[in-house]
């Protein structure tokens, strides 16, 4: 593996050969088949190792046009499926996932995969999914993502998709550890003025500021924020979003009313 870059350099002259291009087009299809099969026959321990391999291999791809981006999309799709199937994988592999999310170079070279890693960290680092998820783990994840957010917004023009993903993850984590709410709320309160300076277009400013204001309004009501940002597992069923007798629709309507009056 340490000399893989040397092999890639030797193979680059063949990157535009028709046989290589056809093989590259087959790989995403075969990966879908592999992941769909392995999740039905493998235990959680093997799937945990598969998450690590997925993160590692994302950096070891031959640079063929469109190939790398397509493989990252496949990895992103199946990372979500693996974590949804076994949420405890996020706690098991939290160190590696945090290391990946804390490396800002991954934002530029693997944006699709990066935003999905941030999403699973924010979504599944919760005691509602795994009792081992301690306050210390939530705090360490929050601080790692917070550092990345400060870095990318103070040194360039970050992708709005990455920024909104980080904001959402930080708000979710803060809703589970209320001591963190003032830290993310302070950033959100200054988001409008900051976004104008580092967003590339007015559309990007609107997208980032809108998400930030939604999260800020939620965090003003910590108990509501927790129920919305970390709903019980049963609340993810589509029935809960349509059933007038369920508690989630009234909460959402109440929250909408509050955010529009503040």
């Amino acid at each position: 593996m340490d000399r893989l870059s040397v092999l890639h350099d030797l193979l680059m002259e063949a990157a535009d050969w028709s046989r290589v291009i056809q093989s590259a087009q087959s790989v995403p299809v075969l990966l879908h088949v592999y992941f769909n099969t392995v999740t039905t026959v493998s235990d959680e321990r093997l799937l945990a190792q598969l998450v690590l391999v997925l993160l590692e291999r994302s950096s070891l791809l031959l640079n063929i046009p469109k190939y790398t981006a397509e493989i990252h999309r496949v990895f992103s799709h199946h990372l979500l499926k693996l974590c949804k199937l076994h949420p405890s994988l996020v706690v098991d592999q939290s160190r590696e996932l945090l290391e990946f999310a804390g490396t800002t170079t991954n934002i530029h070279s693997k944006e699709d995969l990066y935003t999905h890693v941030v999403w699973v960290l924010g979504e599944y680092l919760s005691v509602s999914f795994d009792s081992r998820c301690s306050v210390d783990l939530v705090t360490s994840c929050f601080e790692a993502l917070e550092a990345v957010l400060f870095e990318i917004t103070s040194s360039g023009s970050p992708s709005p998709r990455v920024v909104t993903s980080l904001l959402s993850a930080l708000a979710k984590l803060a809703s589970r550890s209320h001591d963190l709410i003032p830290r993310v709320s302070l950033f959100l309160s200054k988001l409008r003025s900051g976004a104008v300076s580092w967003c590339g277009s007015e559309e990007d400013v609107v997208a980032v500021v809108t998400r930030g204001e939604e999260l800020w309004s939620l965090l003003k009501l910590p108990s509501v924020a927790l129920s919305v940002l970390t709903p019980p597992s049963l609340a993810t069923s589509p029935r809960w979003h349509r059933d007038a007798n369920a508690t989630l629709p009234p909460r959402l309507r109440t929250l909408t009313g509050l955010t529009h009056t503040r």
Side-chain angles (χ1 to χ4, degrees), residues 94-108:
S94 58
R95 184 174 64 85
E96 289 78 7
L97 289 168
L98 279 175
E99 183 179 348
F100 184 93
T103 305
T104 55
T105 54
N106 289 331
I107 297 175
H108 307 292

Side-chain angles (χ1 to χ4, degrees), residues 199-206:
C199 280
S201 66
E202 181 62 27
E203 183 179 354
D204 292 346
V205 173
V206 172

